[in-house]
């Protein structure tokens, strides 16, 4: 570690407050009644319920989602026996990973006790507090007995990640390497450098996957682990080989897999030639591996290389599994983590690497999307789909192995629940997607060769949400699909419309476009360029002509200009005065819809009323009850400024249009979101709870408010959603990700289905 990184790391841990964790209440504590429920006398009720049924603790306390990360500091990272206190930053970091990747609450517990028996007693006594125990950084061989004893004594999952986490990822890497190399695990020869806790666990996993014991040779700092070796540790007796070889280079000839879990530079460049054809080299020592990838690439270009580092391909990182194993185990209230659950995780991780990487993965790694092959045999640590693959596999295995107190009833329902950890938009859009699946409408994508579009379309196809139409040059689109490693098959999964080749279609769209814009100052030559060169124009015309049921445009260039291209083509809905834009922001606390964020600079009272009615109708399609707040600098008549009067007048119009709609205003933004503040200002407010539709007096307020909340609250965006058009067309902003295009596609598909139903 260089000095600059050291200083940065210290400052990171010091500011703005020490450490990496905080405790956040999950229940409100604002009134005396809240206090009475949370503590005395109300807390007696859950206590009595737990006395009657100990399993009620999972329903009435935080235990069901709480894991302890416990160490005695005897083997911390590459730092060795630095003690429990010095290991605390690492344990805090592990707890953060539980929260970040799987939504699991975690306490780090550093136990200042190196006697294994005393340590076991301390940890075992903590069972009532937690739903699971993650043992961390405990030295071998004590770690074996500690984990085994705790597993026998405790009725909750106990998992020593240093052993099993590495083994699970290694198992997945080996499984996929066999596919790439065209080998069978039953036939390969395996050599390890290292015979500690992780190496032994890796060997057990590889045997469970089919590797034969006679094909596995382990080595450590004393050389080959052979039968009869003097002072052989009891943990190595079962893996000792009957062999005359005594050193690592003596057992390397013909090896298909080199598994390094030892120390830097153990594998020498000149030894690489000893390995068999197309070897797999896992050099997992950190921070410096047993041999560097550039050396392997130079000497053995036929090798597949894995390390434990993030700056090289195929990183074997425990974060690929431990959060999701615990997620699955906690969700079924497992009493243990079994060998079957570990193998289920191995298979799920391996399978995920064979599916094309998501846009989030590509973005996290500089925009380069990994494709299954020698440089990508295990998923990237930031792949958000891990939880959807690993947790269900582990949960199902727990049920099959008989350790699940609450087995999975519906796999689809469980996966849908997990989507809240992947994209918070999952729960909001799930009913929308279900509506779309019934008819699978045709959606045309104007930017058909854009990487974000293609990644989104792959998900749209996988989710059976719509039938995509890609607008663009056929050769470019097909080349991009191949480059991204997507499974899209034009003609089967999607249709490509190439106006450069399809002259008949081009002429048809051009004729109709000239009719629409000929009297708006667009001469024939300009119209010809627009249809050919402006994808939004062509996509809008396809929608107008009934060749598509919805359109997704934009994502490149100026949003307003794209909107201006589409506006003359797609007519307003019957009875609509204007087109409006609503943008949804999905937050941890719920969903907020902002109107109008993009189109109308200073809407009138009548237009505010109209956009409110349209917004409420759309929100109902998401399965939500609209709760509308008309926002202003004025709070319930406190000001007679023009904007306050405008919002006040709009409220009256809305009441006349829909007396049952839950709406109030004009009000401050905090009054809209905090019921207590609102009732202090106006006890008889007709709006109950928290508003989910925020109507602003002008575009400045709406756009600024939306972006402030988005930036500070880490929200997920859906939109802008255009309201008031006769056909569903939406325009993505330039910052839209593939996930954002998927979200817009879901909305457009739902609107298309509703339009088809009303025909």
């Amino acid at each position: 570690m260089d000095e600059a990184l050291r200083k940065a790391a210290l400052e990171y841990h010091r500011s703005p407050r020490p450490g990496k964790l905080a405790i956040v209440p999950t229940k409100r504590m604002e009134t005396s009644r809240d206090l009475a429920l949370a503590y005395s006398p109300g807390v007696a009720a859950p206590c009595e319920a737990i006395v009657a049924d100990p399993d009620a603790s999972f329903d009435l306390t935080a235990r069901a989602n709480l894991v302890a990360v416990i160490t005695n500091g005897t083997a911390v990272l590459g730092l060795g026996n630095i003690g429990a206190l010095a290991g605390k930053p690492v344990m805090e970091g592990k707890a953060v990973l539980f929260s970040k990747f799987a939504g699991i609450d975690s306490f780090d517990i550093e136990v200042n006790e190196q006697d294994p028996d005393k340590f076991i007693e301390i940890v075992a006594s903590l069972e009532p507090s937690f739903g699971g125990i993650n043992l961390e950084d405990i030295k071998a061989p004590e770690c074996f007995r500690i984990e085994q004893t705790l597993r026998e004594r405790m009725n909750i999952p106990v998992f020593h990640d240093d052993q099993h986490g590495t083994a699970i990822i290694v198992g997945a890497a080996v499984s996929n390497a066999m596919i790439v190399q065209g080998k069978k695990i039953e036939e390969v020869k395996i050599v390890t450098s290292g015979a500690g806790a992780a190496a032994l666990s890796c060997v057990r996993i590889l045997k469970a996957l089919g590797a034969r014991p006679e094909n596995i040779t382990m080595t450590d700092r004393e050389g080959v682990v052979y039968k009869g070796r003097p002072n052989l540790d009891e943990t190595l007796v079962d893996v000792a080989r009957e062999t005359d070889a005594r050193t690592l280079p003596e057992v390397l000839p013909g090896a298909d897999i080199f598994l390094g879990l030892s120390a830097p530079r153990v594998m020498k460049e000149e030894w690489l030639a000893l390995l068999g054809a197309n070897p797999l080299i896992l050099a997992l020592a950190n921070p410096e591996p047993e041999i560097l990838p550039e050396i392997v690439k130079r000497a053995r270009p036929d090798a597949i290389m894995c390390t434990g580092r993030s700056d090289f391909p195929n990183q074997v990182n425990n974060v690929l599994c431990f959060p999701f194993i615990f997620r699955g185990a906690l969700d079924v209230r497992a009493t243990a983590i079994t060998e079957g659950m570990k193998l289920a995780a191995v298979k799920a991780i391996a399978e995920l690497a064979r599916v094309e990487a998501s846009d989030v993965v590509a973005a996290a790694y500089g925009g380069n999307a990994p494709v299954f092959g020698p440089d990508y045999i295990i998923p990237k640590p930031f792949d958000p789909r891990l939880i959807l693959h690993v947790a269900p596999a582990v949960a199902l295995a727990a049920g099959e192995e008989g350790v699940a107190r609450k087995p999975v009833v519906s796999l689809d329902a469980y996966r849908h629940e997990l989507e809240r950890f992947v994209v918070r938009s999952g729960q909001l859009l799930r009913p929308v997607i279900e509506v779309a699946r019934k008819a699978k409408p045709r959606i045309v994508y104007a930017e058909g060769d854009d990487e974000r579009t293609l990644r989104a379309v792959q998900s749209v196809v996988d989710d059976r949400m719509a039938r995509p139409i890609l607008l663009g040059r056929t050769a470019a689109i097909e080349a991009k699909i191949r480059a991204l490693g997507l499974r899209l098959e034009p003609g089967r999964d999607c249709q490509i419309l190439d106006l450069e080749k399809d002259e008949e279609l081009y002429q048809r769209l051009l004729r109709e476009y000239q009719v629409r814009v000929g009297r708006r100052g667009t001469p024939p030559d300009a119209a010809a360029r627009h249809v050919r060169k402006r994808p939004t124009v062509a996509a809008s015309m396809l929608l107008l002509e009934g060749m598509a049921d919805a359109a997704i445009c934009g994502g490149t260039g100026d949003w307003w200009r794209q909107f201006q291209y589409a506006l003359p083509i797609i007519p307003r809905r019957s009875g609509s005065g204007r087109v409006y834009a609503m943008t949804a922001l999905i937050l941890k606390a719920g969903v907020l819809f902002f109107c109008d964020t993009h189109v109308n600079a200073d809407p009138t009272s009548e237009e505010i009323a109209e956009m409110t009615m349209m917004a409420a109708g759309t929100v109902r399609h998401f399965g939500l009850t609209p709760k509308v707040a008309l926002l202003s600098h004025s709070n319930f008549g406190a000001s007679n400024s023009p904007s306050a009067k405008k919002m006040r007048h709009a409220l009256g119009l809305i009441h006349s249009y829909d007396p049952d709609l839950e709406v109030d205003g004009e009000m401050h933004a905090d009054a809209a979101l905090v019921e207590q503040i609102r009732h202090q200002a106006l006890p008889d407010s007709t709006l109950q709870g928290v508003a989910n539709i925020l109507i602003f007096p002008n575009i400045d307020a709406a756009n600024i408010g939306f972006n402030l909340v988005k930036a500070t609250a880490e929200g997920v965006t859906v939109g802008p959603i255009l309201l008031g058009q006769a056909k569903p067309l939406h325009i993505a902003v330039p910052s839209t990700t593939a996930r954002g295009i998927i979200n817009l596609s879901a909305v457009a598909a739902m609107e298309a289905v509703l339009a088809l139903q009303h025909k």
Side-chain angles (χ1 to χ4, degrees), residues 40-327:
S40 180
V43 75
C47 292
E48 292 167 347
I50 294 170
V51 170
D53 177 13
D55 279 353
S57 63
F58 292 106
D59 296 313
L60 299 171
T61 73
R63 188 183 183 209
N65 195 50
L66 189 61
V67 168
V69 178
I70 304 181
T71 191
N72 62 4
T74 52
V76 179
L77 292 177
L79 303 174
N81 188 352
I82 61 174
L85 182 59
K88 185 172 177 64
V90 179
M91 301 309 115
E92 282 189 359
K94 195 67 173 270
V96 169
L97 295 177
F98 270 114
S99 177
K100 167 69 176 176
F101 288 98
I104 294 173
D105 297 321
S106 182
F107 290 155
D108 63 292
I109 299 177
E110 292 73 35
V111 180
N112 195 21
E113 180 54 73
Q114 298 194 14
D115 181 282
D117 293 319
K118 292 181 180 179
F119 182 83
I120 288 169
E121 292 301 321
I122 292 169
V123 176
S125 67
L126 298 174
E127 181 171 348
S129 296
F130 298 99
I133 303 293
N134 184 92
L135 299 173
E136 194 77 16
D137 292 350
I138 302 170
K139 69 183 178 72
E142 290 94 330
C143 63
F144 301 118
R145 183 160 68 88
I146 287 172
E147 184 193 33
Q148 183 60 36
T149 305
L150 289 173
R151 289 183 62 185
E152 293 169 355
R153 290 183 54 175
M154 302 181 80
N155 205 33
I156 57 176
V158 177
F159 186 80
H160 186 207
D161 185 49
D162 296 340
Q163 294 181 57
H164 311 302
T166 300
I168 287 166
I169 310 307
V170 165
V174 169
S175 297
N176 279 342
M178 296 299 95
I179 295 173
V180 174
Q181 295 165 323
K183 298 181 180 181
K184 296 181 179 179
I185 194 168
E186 297 85 357
E187 300 172 355
V188 296
K189 178 181 178 181
I190 302 170
V191 174
T192 79
S193 173
L200 285 168
S201 189
C202 287
V203 166
R204 281 195 293 272
I205 283 281
L206 294 177
K207 287 179 180 178
L209 291 172
R212 293 174 179 167
E214 63 268 24
N215 291 339
I216 303 174
T217 304
M218 302 191 74
T219 70
D220 59 14
R221 66 184 64 186
E222 296 180 30
V224 175
V225 177
Y226 63 91
K227 290 186 182 297
R229 195 175 86 174
N231 303 316
L232 187 65
D233 190 278
E234 61 179 14
T235 62
L236 300 178
V237 171
D238 291 340
V239 297
R241 286 283 314 281
E242 192 74 60
T243 177
D244 294 330
R246 295 294 182 264
T247 64
L248 177 58
E250 290 180 76
V251 294
L252 286 176
D256 297 281
I257 299 173
F258 170 77
L259 174 57
L261 291 155
S262 52
R265 301 179 299 280
V266 167
M267 172 66 89
K268 307 301 181 185
E269 181 174 1
E270 57 268 26
W271 297 350
L272 292 174
L274 300 173
L275 299 175
N278 304 312
L280 170 63
I281 298 173
L282 299 113
L284 306 183
N286 253 328
E288 185 178 349
E290 284 80 0
I291 189 166
L292 289 169
E294 53 261 36
I295 296 175
V296 172
K297 188 173 183 178
R298 179 175 65 238
R300 289 301 301 265
D302 61 331
I304 294 177
M305 181 76 186
C306 299
T307 71
R309 286 173 41 165
S310 60
D311 52 343
F312 295 126
N314 296 322
Q315 183 190 14
V316 176
N317 190 326
N318 291 14
V319 79
L320 286 166
C321 69
F322 74 81
F324 317 117
I325 288 175
F326 270 99
R327 180 74 273 159

Side-chain angles (χ1 to χ4, degrees), residues 15 28 56 120 177 231 236 245 334 415 435 485 507 537 621 725 735 751:
S15 301
R28 68 179 188 180
I120 288 169
N231 303 316
L236 300 178
R415 284 198 174 113
V435 169
Q507 291 297 334
V537 170
H621 292 315
Q725 291 182 297
S735 61
E751 292 172 334

Side-chain angles (χ1 to χ4, degrees), residues 412-616:
D412 284 343
Y414 180 44
R415 284 198 174 113
H416 291 168
E417 288 178 20
L418 291 172
E419 284 182 352
R420 71 186 188 273
F421 300 114
V422 184
V423 280
R424 280 163 282 175
S425 52
Q427 292 297 89
L428 174 70
L429 295 174
R430 182 53 50 187
V432 171
I433 293 172
E434 293 303 325
V435 169
R437 281 177 172 171
K438 295 176 181 178
K440 290 183 68 175
R442 300 163 299 169
I443 300 180
V444 59
Y445 294 85
E447 306 293 338
D449 61 353
D450 184 86
E451 179 176 332
R452 294 167 299 171
T453 296
L454 290 171
R455 291 189 183 284
V457 166
Q458 181 69 73
S459 293
V460 167
V461 169
D462 289 344
D463 233 345
R464 306 188 308 279
M465 188 196 306
R467 291 170 289 166
I469 301 169
L470 300 173
L471 194 59
R473 292 186 299 112
T474 302
I477 293 173
E478 291 179 342
K480 187 65 72 67
I481 289 172
R482 289 193 298 271
L484 296 174
L486 301 178
R487 291 169 286 109
L488 286 175
E489 188 175 314
R492 184 195 68 181
D493 300 321
C494 60
Q495 179 185 3
I496 298 176
L497 292 183
D498 187 343
L499 296 185
E500 298 287 343
K501 290 185 175 181
D502 194 334
E503 186 65 24
E504 182 180 345
L505 175 61
Y506 167 69
Q507 291 297 334
R508 174 183 170 182
L509 297 183
L510 177 57
R511 285 194 300 271
E512 295 301 322
Y513 180 62
Q514 288 174 329
V515 171
R516 312 269 328 161
V517 300
R519 295 182 180 274
R520 296 183 181 223
T522 304
D525 58 337
R529 288 195 305 273
H530 291 181
V531 174
R532 187 88 78 180
K533 301 297 183 183
R534 293 179 177 173
T536 295
V537 170
S540 301
M541 288 304 303
L542 289 167
L543 179 59
L544 179 70
E545 289 296 293
M547 300 179 67
D549 304 306
I552 303 296
C553 306
T556 60
D558 179 73
W559 185 92
W560 181 255
R561 183 174 297 140
Q562 303 284 352
F563 177 68
Q564 292 290 86
Y565 293 158
L567 193 60
I569 301 171
I570 303 300
R572 290 192 294 272
R573 187 189 310 162
S574 177
S576 296
R578 296 187 70 85
V579 174
Y580 307 94
M582 176 176 73
T583 306
L585 198 56
I586 303 162
L587 310 167
K588 290 181 179 180
V591 187
L592 292 177
F593 296 87
F594 295 73
C595 298
D596 172 354
T597 51
H598 284 78
V599 179
N600 296 282
D602 189 14
T604 64
S605 296
E606 290 75 16
E607 289 165 351
I608 286 172
E610 182 179 58
M611 85 164 76
T612 299
M613 299 306 300
M614 290 182 183

